[in-house]
Amino acid sequence: MTLVWAEIAKLGQWQPLDSEEHIHPGELTGSTTSDERDQGHVDRLTRSILHHGYSPERHGQLGLNLTDHGENIYHHASGIETYPEDHQPHEHLLQALQDAGYGEVPVHIHDQQSDPDGEPAPRYYHGTTESDLEHVRPNHSTRGTFGPATHAPGYAYATGLESAKDYAERAADQHGGRPRVFEVHPRGPVEDDPKFDAAGNNRGNNLDDKRSRHGFSVVGEVPLGHDEEY
């Protein structure tokens, strides 16, 4: 057992690990194609990096997210030249660093993998009526799914297995369709989903609900045994 994991074991529970490493942009892989990126954002950042040199405070900082299901880059921190309306700044920054031919840069590492000596990472689930789900993306509206309470914009949601089943059943009751539950894994840091919204309304969510600004990717669908009912 490594020293870091030994210290975690003393706490009696799994915790993500955060660190920073210098990594060459050419060793990192994004998840978008050139058609999906905004080339204007990429060109603007490339010119700035060539003119000023790369600076996390100016251009933002990449993060590398590690889970039991793989790794991905994400947007760890904004810089003064990060556009607020840019919904994939990490992809644009990575491409700009590569286009500028830049060398090693500081990358924040967010390790959400299971403890190699036995403590498993949390498993997350998403309840829905949507079929063929591949990603749970951040919701940029504030309308709540159930009742009058609101969501904070810019988050995607996941939860424990039983809560996901509950949400799937509620969605089917209110909107029709077949309840489905998908196991998902996070694409960046995860936090507790607040029980109350900014106006003090109980949002009707469950205590094990989580949210992330970076979304979740689907691992697979969980069989519910409801096929004969739909």
Side-chain angles (χ1 to χ4, degrees), residues 57-75:
E57 292 76 20
R58 177 179 289 274
H59 303 110
Q61 186 178 13
L62 297 172
L64 183 62
N65 179 57
L66 309 177
T67 76
D68 291 343
H69 301 283
E71 63 182 48
N72 63 275
I73 63 166
Y74 71 96
H75 180 60

Side-chain angles (χ1 to χ4, degrees), residues 121-213:
R123 298 176 70 173
Y124 302 102
Y125 301 87
H126 184 80
T128 182
T129 56
E130 195 174 332
S131 61
D132 300 322
L133 189 69
E134 294 183 358
H135 301 282
V136 183
R137 302 188 188 280
N139 180 0
H140 294 288
S141 74
T142 59
R143 185 176 62 84
T145 306
F146 306 109
T150 60
H151 288 315
Y155 288 97
Y157 297 87
T159 189
L161 179 58
E162 293 306 314
S163 291
K165 291 178 182 178
D166 173 56
Y167 287 133
E169 294 284 358
R170 291 166 67 182
D173 289 344
Q174 291 194 21
H175 308 294
R178 171 187 166 189
R180 299 175 184 270
V181 169
F182 294 88
E183 183 176 359
V184 298
H185 70 94
R187 297 187 62 79
V190 173
E191 61 188 66
D192 291 339
D193 185 28
K195 189 67 177 173
F196 298 91
D197 66 16
N201 297 311
N202 189 321
R203 297 177 55 243
N205 54 337
N206 293 327
L207 292 176
D208 55 349
D209 288 2
K210 305 295 181 183
R211 67 182 188 180
S212 174
R213 290 191 177 277

